[in-house]
Amino acid sequence: VQASLALAESLDYQQTLRRVAEIVVPELADWCTVAVRGENGRLERAAVVHRDERLALIAREYEGRYPPDAHRSGDQLSTLLRGRASLHRHVTDKDLQAAAQDPRHLEILRALGCSSCIIVPMLTHGKTLGVISLMLSGSSRRFDDDDVVIAEELARRAAVAVDNARLYREARRSEVEKRRQSERRLQLLIESIKDYAVFMLDPTGRVTTWTPAAEVIEGYPADEILGKHFSIFYPEEDVRAGKCEMELEEAARTGRFEDLGWRVRKDGTRYWANIVLSAIKDERGQLVGFAKVARDLTERKRVEEEQTARLAAEQANRAKDEFLAMLGHELRNPLAPIVTAIQLMKLRGDVRSSNEQQIIERQVQHMVRLVDDLLDVSRITRGRIDLKKQSIDLRDAVARAVEIASPLLEQRRHHFQVEVPPHELRVFGDEARLAQVFANLLTNAAKYTEPRGHIAIAVARAGGEVRVQVRDDGVGIPPELLPRIFDLFVQGQQSAERSAGGLGIGLNLVRTLVDLHGGSVEASSLGRGAGSSFTVTLPLATAPMPADLASGPAAIDWPRPSQLHRILVVDDNEDALELVAEVLRTIGHDVRTATDGAIALSQLEGFVPDVAILDIGLPVMDGYELAARLRAELGSAPLHLIALTGYGQQSDRARTGDAGFATHLVKPIDTQKLLDTLEELPPT
């Protein structure tokens, strides 16, 4: 019973077998040895116990010095091979001599004494796991067959215990090996990760493990970072604010903390990181450390910032386009009546003010061109400006530029000199745009030259080119600014009251326009206070000059239309309204006018128009709503709608087309185009 209890107490079979041997001695034998078959098939001593304390030391020497030798221990080998017990009722000194390996071995065997012996195999599941030897010494008692039965049962139970212990040990060994392999695979997996820094912290936040990826991302080799606090990766402002402690507390409390923010490498550079801090606890729930994963998202952050900036720029561009469209509309409104007035004066054949008409018409056309440019600033900055090129005398463009800049020159009382040769200088270009170039240079000189300064424009031929130079004795151009003077939004130093004004786009536009004409422009200055000089060089035209047109405005002789219309004109700009109506009445149309939608609807009493010319940007009721109301009021009566508006972008034209307007005319109105449109309408 005691042996059974001992066998059940432990899964360490060596400890168990020693305990069995201690129970056997002295209950069954005076001394006992247990040998088990090892993994290599050899017998290994598991226990040696003697009843005499004095002889215990000799027994331990015997255990350590003389391991079992199956080849020399004939009875043990025979028992092991046969799988049956051996009973030696009487053991003689001759038997001891046969078993001894050397004289000392014989001396120990004689000292231990053996007068009777049982050797039993440890059998289980048809396998012999070892042998148990029970010996009597110096007594008259001898082992008999009943003792053999007891010894065999003891050996059988011991074999089961050994087998179970070995299975358990193998299972544990397999489990340990699996865990070791799993840990190794995990380590290899972690080390193979290149995009993430994965490392461990102790409960206080000090680094305990490190990986190659962590070294690449953070910049620290393992021998420099192990044992250091993880706050070394954080900007100083975050460390001062207690961010590291907060992260550890949050992860310990909830099990996980995640964050996006700036981190610092060994070399001091910052990177945008996504970090995850996870708490690690043992089976008792005690915190043993943290696992930290950090990923470098600097490139993604840069892309996101670029996308955000691009979206902001696109939104700003949309806002700019909307503003410019509104600005163009508001600028075109006052230009419309001026153009119509000039055309009325021509219609009436008023030649007394022909010179003034020519100046006004030229300046209005110039303003219209500038308004058109305002509606697409991006086109200007990319140099994509449509030019109406023809053979022109460059002196005419210079004269127009002087005319444009004269008010500012006179206002600042500058001494102004014009040097132009008496002969023609033909170039192939857009006269209005070239006039704009020289006007910008003159205006720029006037603004950056103190009152009563000296400004000159000189035109001269140089081989197959013509050069136009604008000189002044103004504030000059600093050397550091000179290389960038033609860049967009670059300006020279101005006074506190910003008397020079401007947005810094004039010289950039000058370079763009000159480049489009195949020329070049250069700036020079000796520095601050030394004045400046701008020289435009253009190629001379080689094509013959077309015949000059008669100077001065010719009287307009519009033919009478093929069909007369009943026309309703609606515009909140009264000057433009009346002048358009006057032109239409002059050539025979029946015209009614209105300045808003309500008045227009009231005109329908006794008057059924077949054409309605509507301003889109009307107050209270816009042109779209008024068009719908007119059609509803007139029912089946035919009505042709013509949009007259300051909005001229493609989206505006698409909208009027969707609203049923036959034609979209942009202010200031081209009277001939309006008349052509009326002429092309189908008969009613």
Side-chain angles (χ1 to χ4, degrees):
V1 174
Q2 288 181 332
S4 296
L5 292 175
L7 291 170
E9 283 180 354
S10 173
L11 288 173
D12 184 344
Y13 74 89
Q14 290 183 326
Q15 179 182 349
T16 298
L17 293 178
R18 184 171 183 82
R19 178 65 179 144
V20 169
E22 290 174 348
I23 293 173
V24 168
V25 178
E27 295 293 332
L28 294 177
D30 293 325
W31 63 293
C32 175
T33 67
V34 182
V36 295
R37 177 177 278 176
E39 294 180 356
N40 57 4
R42 298 176 64 86
L43 286 174
E44 299 174 357
R45 190 86 68 191
V48 176
V49 177
H50 202 287
R51 66 182 298 173
D52 188 338
E53 291 292 336
R54 181 181 61 81
L55 296 176
L57 293 175
I58 298 177
R60 281 194 289 272
E61 180 184 355
Y62 177 74
E63 178 182 1
R65 187 169 181 176
Y66 298 100
D69 186 346
H71 296 287
R72 300 197 60 180
S73 301
D75 289 331
Q76 287 186 344
L77 177 61
S78 176
T79 300
L80 194 66
L81 295 176
R82 291 184 301 130
R84 296 199 304 269
S86 298
L87 172 61
H88 299 274
R89 296 179 187 273
H90 300 281
V91 177
T92 65
D93 188 69
K94 186 177 180 180
D95 294 327
L96 296 180
Q97 292 178 20
Q101 298 178 21
D102 57 36
R104 178 56 183 165
H105 192 191
L106 178 59
E107 183 181 346
I108 292 174
L109 290 176
R110 286 172 174 171
L112 292 173
C114 180
S115 57
S116 183
C117 175
I118 299 175
I119 302 174
V120 292
M122 297 166 57
L123 296 171
T124 180
H125 304 301
K127 297 183 297 183
T128 304
L129 303 184
V131 293
I132 299 178
S133 301
L134 290 77
M135 278 80 70
L136 294 173
S137 61
S139 66
S140 58
R141 189 171 78 86
R142 296 291 183 270
F143 289 123
D144 56 21
D145 292 338
D146 291 337
D147 294 322
V148 172
V149 172
I150 295 174
E152 286 179 334
E153 179 61 21
L154 178 65
R156 186 187 66 80
R157 296 187 182 186
V160 172
V162 169
D163 193 41
N164 289 339
R166 283 181 170 177
L167 290 174
Y168 175 74
R169 184 174 63 178
E170 290 174 2
R172 287 292 303 274
R173 183 184 300 164
S174 176
E175 181 181 342
V176 169
E177 181 60 26
K178 287 180 180 178
R179 184 165 60 248
R180 184 180 295 113
Q181 290 178 357
S182 177
E183 291 173 352
R184 179 57 181 163
R185 284 195 296 268
L186 177 60
Q187 182 66 24
L188 291 174
L189 174 62
I190 291 174
E191 290 180 356
S192 69
I193 296 174
K194 305 302 182 184
D195 298 330
Y196 296 83
V198 183
F199 53 95
M200 306 289 291
L201 307 175
D202 67 14
T204 66
R206 298 191 178 278
V207 179
T208 58
T209 67
W210 202 239
T211 61
E215 180 174 344
V216 171
I217 293 175
E218 304 288 359
Y220 292 93
D223 58 352
E224 291 185 15
I225 199 62
L226 291 176
K228 298 290 181 65
H229 195 269
F230 80 112
S231 59
I232 196 172
F233 309 128
Y234 286 67
E236 291 184 5
E237 58 269 22
D238 288 348
V239 176
R240 289 194 300 268
K243 185 174 179 62
C244 300
E245 291 76 8
M246 182 274 292
E247 290 184 7
L248 292 179
E249 292 173 2
E250 178 73 11
R253 182 174 60 85
T254 66
R256 188 176 188 273
F257 175 83
E258 185 170 359
D259 183 39
L260 278 170
W262 291 108
R263 298 296 183 266
V264 182
R265 297 187 179 90
K266 178 183 177 181
D267 60 8
T269 59
R270 296 192 178 195
Y271 69 97
W272 186 255
N274 168 232
I275 67 101
V276 177
L277 191 65
S278 302
I280 301 175
K281 297 183 179 181
D282 60 18
E283 60 275 5
R284 295 173 299 171
Q286 298 296 315
L287 181 69
V288 296
F290 300 92
K292 186 162 187 178
V293 179
R295 187 181 186 189
D296 185 353
L297 299 179
T298 307
E299 180 63 19
R300 181 184 298 181
K301 176 74 170 174
R302 182 189 64 79
V303 172
E304 290 176 352
E305 289 178 346
E306 288 180 354
Q307 290 175 343
T308 300
R310 183 166 59 253
L311 290 174
E314 290 173 355
Q315 184 177 359
N317 279 335
R318 284 193 296 270
K320 175 208 68 177
D321 291 341
E322 292 172 1
F323 167 75
L324 291 178
M326 178 63 71
L327 179 62
H329 176 266
E330 294 303 318
L331 289 175
R332 280 181 170 136
N333 270 334
L335 290 176
I338 298 175
V339 172
T340 307
I342 293 297
Q343 292 172 340
L344 263 180
M345 293 171 69
K346 292 180 179 180
L347 181 62
R348 293 169 179 167
D350 184 359
V351 295
R352 291 175 300 174
S353 58
S354 60
N355 187 51
E356 290 82 357
Q357 291 177 41
Q358 188 176 13
I359 293 173
I360 294 172
E361 187 173 27
R362 187 164 59 243
Q363 296 307 313
V364 169
Q365 289 174 354
H366 185 69
M367 290 183 68
V368 170
R369 292 283 294 276
L370 293 180
V371 170
D372 289 339
D373 286 345
L374 266 179
L375 297 178
D376 194 357
V377 171
S378 63
R379 180 164 54 91
I380 297 176
T381 57
R382 295 197 307 269
R384 297 179 60 182
I385 303 174
D386 295 330
L387 299 179
K388 298 177 181 178
K389 291 185 177 181
Q390 56 184 337
S391 178
I392 63 170
D393 186 348
L394 190 63
R395 297 178 303 169
D396 294 336
V398 171
R400 291 180 63 174
V402 171
E403 186 179 294
I404 294 169
S406 290
L408 182 59
L409 293 167
E410 294 171 0
Q411 176 188 347
R412 296 179 66 82
R413 293 171 292 177
H414 289 309
H415 300 284
F416 181 54
Q417 182 179 359
V418 179
E419 303 171 8
V420 179
H423 52 81
E424 290 182 344
L425 294 170
R426 286 278 162 183
V427 298
F428 190 69
D430 186 322
E431 183 176 324
R433 291 302 189 184
L434 290 176
Q436 185 180 354
V437 167
F438 304 133
N440 280 357
L441 293 177
L442 288 172
T443 301
N444 205 58
K447 289 190 294 186
Y448 286 96
T449 301
E450 294 297 326
R452 300 182 184 277
H454 295 79
I455 298 173
I457 182 169
V459 183
R461 178 169 182 165
E465 299 175 328
V466 59
R467 292 178 182 171
V468 181
Q469 186 180 64
V470 176
R471 305 185 302 271
D472 65 69
D473 58 1
V475 299
I477 305 172
E480 65 274 12
L481 183 62
L482 197 57
R484 301 183 295 112
I485 195 65
F486 292 103
D487 292 347
L488 193 60
F489 304 128
V490 171
Q491 292 180 285
Q493 185 176 2
Q494 301 183 22
S495 60
E497 69 274 10
R498 193 176 169 84
S499 59
L503 297 174
I505 64 174
L507 291 180
N508 180 263
L509 185 57
V510 165
R511 182 174 61 183
T512 300
L513 292 173
V514 171
D515 287 346
L516 291 175
H517 280 84
S520 63
V521 59
E522 296 179 353
S524 62
S525 175
L526 296 178
R528 289 184 176 87
S532 58
S533 174
F534 290 84
T535 303
V536 175
T537 303
L538 296 169
L540 286 168
T542 57
M545 168 191 151
D548 287 332
L549 299 177
S551 60
I556 299 177
D557 183 18
W558 284 308
R560 186 172 180 82
S562 60
Q563 62 174 325
L564 296 177
H565 295 280
R566 298 180 303 278
I567 303 174
L568 175 63
V569 184
V570 185
D571 196 330
D572 59 333
N573 186 318
E574 294 186 13
D575 290 337
L577 175 68
E578 291 303 324
L579 288 169
V580 169
E582 181 65 22
V583 170
L584 297 176
R585 290 190 185 105
T586 300
I587 61 175
H589 295 293
D590 185 4
V591 181
R592 299 287 190 277
T593 62
T595 55
D596 59 40
I599 298 175
L601 293 173
S602 68
Q603 293 282 12
L604 299 182
E605 297 180 5
F607 179 75
V608 180
D610 63 297
V611 177
I613 303 173
L614 307 181
D615 183 14
I616 298 300
L618 293 171
V620 183
M621 183 190 306
D622 65 20
Y624 299 111
E625 182 180 355
L626 177 56
R629 293 282 298 274
L630 287 172
R631 283 185 164 166
E633 291 288 336
L634 295 175
S636 60
L639 179 65
H640 302 292
L641 295 174
I642 297 175
L644 181 59
T645 175
Y647 297 103
Q649 295 185 332
Q650 187 60 39
S651 58
D652 302 316
R653 297 179 184 275
R655 187 178 178 189
T656 55
D658 293 341
F661 285 84
T663 305
H664 183 111
L665 300 178
V666 180
K667 295 179 179 180
I669 189 172
D670 183 336
T671 306
Q672 186 60 57
K673 187 171 183 179
L674 173 59
L675 297 180
D676 291 343
T677 299
L678 293 173
E679 189 67 18
E680 293 169 1
L681 292 176
T684 57

